[in-house]
Amino acid sequence: MQAKIKEKREVAKGTLMVVFDLLGEEVDFRPGQYFWVTLLDPPYDDEKGPRRHISVVTSPNERGVLGLCTRVRDTAFKRSLAEMPVGANVDVEHPKGSFLLPEETDTPFVFIAGGIGITVFRCMLRYIAEEGLPHRVTLVYSNRDRESTAFLDELTQLERDNANIRLVLTMTDDPAWEGETRRIDGALLREKLADDLTAYRYLIAGPPAMVEAMSETLRQEGVADEQLQAGSFSGY
């Protein structure tokens, strides 16, 4: 589909959110899916080309748009995306992928996000809140500091407004932060969840090394593979 850049804004230090106007098209998708975007006539190029797949950060209820969120890094794609103006043309494809918000709600959920992995959970949590869904979710979200924590204020507000959403934040390198500062591990999860860790279903999103480490940690805590759903966000 043809689309145009509708909105660009910084949602944390070095983190850019871009929303694409689908020019009258409306796309049905499930929270958690990703879409392919191709930059047309980008100012920079490299051997990887101008096409990437990125998780949808906007809610399915935001009709006629698809949004992404990315750390701004020194790659041709990201430099181009940062410099391309509102109104620039792009091509996007229909969302796809299997890292989805589960439909069943009998078991409470723990969403574990490292850094930019929050994008997929922002989509899910907004949809849960908008639809009044009965999912019970604890979001455990790790960052270096508050400046680099995407959607911090929005997530805090979601927790205030929704009794079934709980937010656990940890900042691993922020001297002024008075809250949790540990990296996410089994001890932190046992303390914050105050329950048998096998009583939850887990969705994990973040850099590949973090996702792999968290999955292994949960397995060591007795969590079965069928209770784990993992999505890795590699750089591009």
Side-chain angles (χ1 to χ4, degrees):
M1 298 176 287
Q2 286 193 332
K4 289 183 181 292
I5 296 177
K6 178 181 181 179
E7 176 192 354
K8 298 172 66 175
R9 62 185 172 98
E10 191 175 60
V11 294
K13 184 178 180 181
T15 303
L16 181 68
M17 179 173 172
V18 182
V19 178
F20 301 107
D21 184 341
L22 303 182
L23 304 178
E25 293 281 347
E26 291 196 358
V27 175
D28 293 318
F29 69 94
R30 292 179 60 185
Q33 292 191 299
Y34 64 87
F35 70 109
W36 287 91
V37 56
T38 302
L39 305 182
L40 304 179
D41 300 318
Y44 306 101
D45 199 6
D46 61 18
E47 69 280 359
K48 293 184 178 180
R51 181 174 180 262
R52 299 289 190 279
H53 67 281
I54 312 175
S55 290
V56 185
V57 71
T58 44
S59 164
N61 289 327
E62 297 177 61
R63 309 298 292 173
V65 300
L66 287 174
L68 62 82
C69 191
T70 182
R71 300 285 200 210
V72 178
R73 298 285 189 262
D74 192 24
T75 67
F77 182 89
K78 292 190 177 187
R79 289 167 64 200
S80 295
L81 191 62
E83 291 189 18
M84 291 174 70
V86 170
N89 294 313
V90 300
D91 283 340
V92 300
E93 299 177 25
H94 285 254
K96 60 187 71 173
S98 58
F99 187 82
L100 305 174
L101 174 67
E103 293 183 357
E104 62 272 17
T105 60
D106 291 343
T107 302
F109 293 92
V110 179
F111 294 173
I112 300 177
I116 200 60
I118 192 60
T119 56
V120 68
F121 296 138
R122 193 251 189 183
C123 175
M124 291 183 183
L125 290 171
R126 284 177 66 91
Y127 188 73
I128 289 170
E130 291 162 358
E131 295 292 311
L133 300 179
H135 296 72
R136 293 161 289 156
V137 180
T138 299
L139 171 64
V140 184
Y141 184 19
S142 176
N143 282 277
R144 289 186 57 194
D145 52 42
R146 281 167 292 182
E147 280 192 334
S148 62
T149 302
F151 306 112
L152 177 57
D153 291 342
E154 179 181 319
L155 293 168
T156 301
Q157 189 64 48
L158 273 173
E159 180 186 38
R160 281 197 291 263
D161 293 344
N162 298 273
N164 283 352
I165 296 175
R166 179 181 173 224
L167 180 60
V168 175
L169 295 167
T170 182
M171 308 291 174
T172 59
D173 189 19
D174 188 338
W177 175 250
E178 297 181 353
E180 183 61 65
T181 60
R182 290 174 291 172
R183 295 186 182 278
I184 304 172
D185 59 12
L188 184 148
L189 291 173
R190 286 194 302 273
E191 179 182 315
K192 300 300 180 181
L193 298 175
D195 204 345
D196 178 0
L197 296 188
T198 63
Y200 299 86
R201 180 169 175 180
Y202 297 83
L203 278 68
I204 311 167
M210 174 264 184
V211 170
E212 184 176 343
M214 283 308 315
S215 298
E216 182 57 32
T217 293
L218 289 167
R219 291 187 187 101
Q220 291 175 1
E221 295 287 339
V223 177
D225 282 344
E226 54 266 28
Q227 294 172 257
L228 301 176
Q229 195 170 337
S232 297
F233 288 67
S234 56
Y236 49 86

